[in-house]
């Protein structure tokens, strides 16, 4: 056999052998993942080996998924501890995405978000879980946030900004009506009315309805304030805590007492960096960049919040944030309003993979969802793992009890009645003006 023939034989044998190895349905699949509670955690037991060293949603999900697919698999923690970001200098991918592109791993299973730029280099499955962004805060005592606050501040919080504006517009309208009626009708009423009646009837009606309006508003404010104080007292007697007075991303970015941050790599960072059409997100990113509040891991972000005296917040995926709130020392909470796009966590494989077919993964995920397996796993790792007692109530319940701000819609009937009264007053003022002019 000639030298060229030998080389050709070796190359062909290598190609064929490699294709056979890649197409082996029983070959072990290498899974890359990342340590994030409760998706994947390391068990503190040196006697364990292989996949048994890990626990969490991703581990249980991988067990069920590869059982469906008929593969053995091995979990490996991503080397650089990141999800994956494209380097702007040499245009290389890091993290789990980089390991998939470089064939270090066959598949990524984690709380990995599908984005447009990632979809250019990887194939993503249908989502196995959905989430939004949440703001994690340190809990604070009700005594500090309610009873020690100035009474004027507490009263002013009873109404929404829109309602305060509506009240101001109403008072201004009434003032203008009083001036107009006094200057048009009031100057001549003494000529035709008895001495004991020196004000026009329409003017008296205006003043009476204004007093009634102010009385109703004060009654609504007082009753709401008392209800909030009673609810607060009940919660305090049960040793309940509530968060600082930040209930949304909009409120967080407008204050300066709480510094907030995100992971310095990954889909969340890319979302803040590129969302230039959203004024709130753009302002949040500018603040975080100026204060350099980016962190390397969820663990670091949660720890920063726990160790702060209410001066730090961390923005993270809502499921991971909710998990942090049910773990000891039970000192953090999530603000009621989630924000950002609804994201899906998906399984990722390299484009053109022959080891795994995305259609098979999608079908397996659909089966697991229809069988209720995904819901069971979500309940197991995000609801049934609580280490906090029943007094650590859901933040939505606490805010509903103690921060019941009244909106314009809730007192719409008052303003409708007021509009009718003003209309009647204007008609009566016109009639009275005509009567007075004719009687002079």
């Amino acid at each position: 056999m000639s030298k060229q023939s030998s080389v050709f034989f070796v190359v062909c044998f290598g190609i064929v052998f490699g294709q056979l190895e890649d197409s082996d349905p029983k070959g072990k699949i290498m899974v890359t993942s990342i340590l994030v509670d409760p998706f994947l955690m390391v068990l503190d037991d040196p006697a364990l080996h292989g996949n048994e060293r890990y626990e969490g949603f991703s581990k249980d999900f991988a067990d069920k998924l590869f059982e469906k697919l008929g593969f053995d698999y091995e979990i490996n923690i991503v080397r650089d501890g990141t999800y994956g970001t494209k380097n702007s200098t040499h245009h290389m991918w890091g993290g789990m995405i980089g390991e998939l592109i470089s064939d270090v791993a066959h598949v990524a299973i984690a709380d990995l978000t599908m984005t447009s730029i990632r979809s250019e280099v990887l194939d993503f499955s249908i989502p196995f879980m959905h989430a939004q962004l949440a703001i994690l805060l340190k809990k604070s005592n009700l005594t500090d946030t309610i009873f020690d606050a100035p009474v004027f501040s507490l009263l002013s919080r009873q109404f929404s900004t829109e309602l305060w504006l509506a009240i101001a517009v109403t008072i201004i309208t009434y003032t203008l009506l009083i001036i107009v009626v006094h200057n048009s009708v009031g100057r001549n009423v003494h000529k035709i009315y008895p001495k004991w009646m020196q004000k026009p009837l329409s003017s008296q009606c205006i003043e009476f309805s204004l007093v009634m309006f102010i009385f109703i508003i004060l009654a609504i404010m007082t009753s709401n304030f008392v209800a909030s104080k009673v609810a607060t007292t009940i919660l305090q007697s049960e040793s309940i805590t509530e968060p600082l007075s930040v209930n949304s991303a909009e409120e967080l970015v407008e204050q300066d007492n709480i510094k907030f941050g995100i992971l310095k790599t990954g889909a969340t960072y890319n979302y803040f960096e590129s969302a230039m059409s959203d004024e709130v997100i753009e302002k949040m990113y500018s603040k975080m960049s100026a204060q350099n509040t980016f962190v390397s891991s969820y663990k670091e972000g949660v720890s920063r919040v726990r160790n702060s005296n209410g001066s730090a917040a961390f923005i993270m995926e809502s499921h991971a944030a909710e998990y942090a709130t049910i773990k000891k020392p039970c000192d953090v909470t999530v603000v009621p309003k989630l924000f950002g796009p609804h994201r899906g966590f998906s399984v990722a494989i390299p484009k053109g993979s022959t080891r795994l077919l995305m259609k098979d993964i999608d079908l397996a995920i659909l089966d697991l969802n229809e069988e209720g397996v995904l819901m069971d796993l979500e309940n197991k790792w995000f609801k049934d793992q609580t280490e906090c007692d029943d007094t650590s109530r859901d933040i939505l319940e606490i805010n509903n009890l103690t921060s019941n701000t009244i909106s314009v819609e809730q007192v719409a009937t008052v303003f409708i009645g007021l509009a009718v009264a003003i209309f009647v007053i204007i008609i009566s003022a016109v009639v009275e003006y005509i009567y007075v002019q004719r009687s002079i």
Side-chain angles (χ1 to χ4, degrees), residues 5-272:
S5 299
S6 300
V7 172
F8 179 78
F9 175 79
V10 170
V11 171
C12 290
F13 177 81
I15 293 174
V16 173
F17 179 79
Q19 289 176 339
L20 289 174
E21 184 180 32
D22 284 344
S23 62
D24 178 10
K26 300 301 179 183
K28 181 174 287 189
I29 298 297
M30 306 305 292
V31 176
T32 181
S33 192
I34 188 170
L35 294 175
V36 174
D37 296 351
F39 286 94
L40 193 64
M41 301 169 285
V42 179
L43 290 169
D44 188 18
D45 187 349
L48 297 176
H49 301 282
N51 295 339
E52 299 306 316
R53 294 172 296 168
Y54 306 106
E55 67 172 352
F57 179 93
S58 296
K59 165 65 168 54
D60 289 352
F61 172 60
D63 287 342
K64 300 295 184 181
L65 179 66
F66 288 112
E67 181 182 344
K68 288 275 186 186
L69 297 174
F71 285 95
D72 291 329
Y73 77 96
E74 179 183 329
I75 294 179
N76 292 292
I77 306 303
V78 60
R79 295 171 183 174
D80 64 3
T82 66
Y83 292 88
T85 303
K86 190 175 183 179
N87 187 286
S88 58
T89 304
H90 51 70
H91 305 293
M92 299 293 289
W93 284 88
M96 290 184 287
I97 297 175
E99 291 191 355
L100 290 177
I101 295 173
S102 60
D103 293 327
V104 173
H106 299 116
V107 61
I109 297 180
D111 53 327
L112 183 66
T113 307
M114 178 176 64
T115 63
S116 58
I117 190 171
R118 289 174 176 175
S119 297
E120 295 175 1
V121 294
L122 298 178
D123 286 332
F124 286 86
S125 71
I126 60 174
F128 56 82
M129 183 183 292
H130 292 87
Q132 280 186 278
L133 293 177
I135 302 171
L136 191 73
L137 286 172
K138 178 89 169 181
K139 285 183 179 179
S140 61
N141 293 328
L142 284 171
T143 308
D144 297 332
T145 58
I146 300 294
F147 289 109
D148 291 345
V151 174
F152 177 78
S153 175
L154 290 173
L155 288 174
S156 66
R157 282 188 234 158
Q158 303 305 308
F159 293 160
S160 65
T161 303
E162 293 78 9
L163 181 52
W164 280 117
L165 288 174
I167 293 171
V169 169
T170 300
I171 293 175
I172 292 172
T173 301
Y174 266 106
T175 303
L176 292 175
L177 277 174
I178 291 173
I179 294 173
V180 170
V181 171
H182 176 75
N183 290 334
S184 60
V185 184
R187 289 180 300 179
N188 298 314
V189 294
H190 65 279
K191 298 178 182 180
I192 60 173
Y193 287 170
K195 291 184 179 181
W196 55 269
M197 187 174 165
Q198 295 301 308
K199 285 185 179 180
L201 287 173
S202 53
S203 179
Q204 295 180 48
C205 291
I206 293 172
E207 293 174 359
F208 175 76
S209 60
L210 177 59
V211 170
M212 289 300 298
F213 171 72
I214 294 174
F215 176 79
I216 292 171
I217 291 298
L218 288 175
I220 293 172
M221 176 188 289
T222 304
S223 62
N224 191 63
F225 174 71
V226 171
S228 297
K229 294 282 279 185
V230 170
T232 299
T233 304
I234 295 172
L235 294 177
Q236 187 189 36
S237 67
E238 298 177 3
S239 301
I240 307 297
T241 57
E242 70 165 4
L244 295 172
S245 55
V246 172
N247 295 302
S248 66
E250 291 81 0
E251 291 183 12
L252 182 64
V253 76
E254 292 300 332
Q255 56 77 50
D256 297 316
N257 297 323
I258 305 173
K259 293 184 177 180
F260 51 92
I262 57 174
L263 283 179
K264 62 183 178 183
T265 60
T268 300
Y269 181 88
N270 293 336
Y271 167 68
F272 276 90

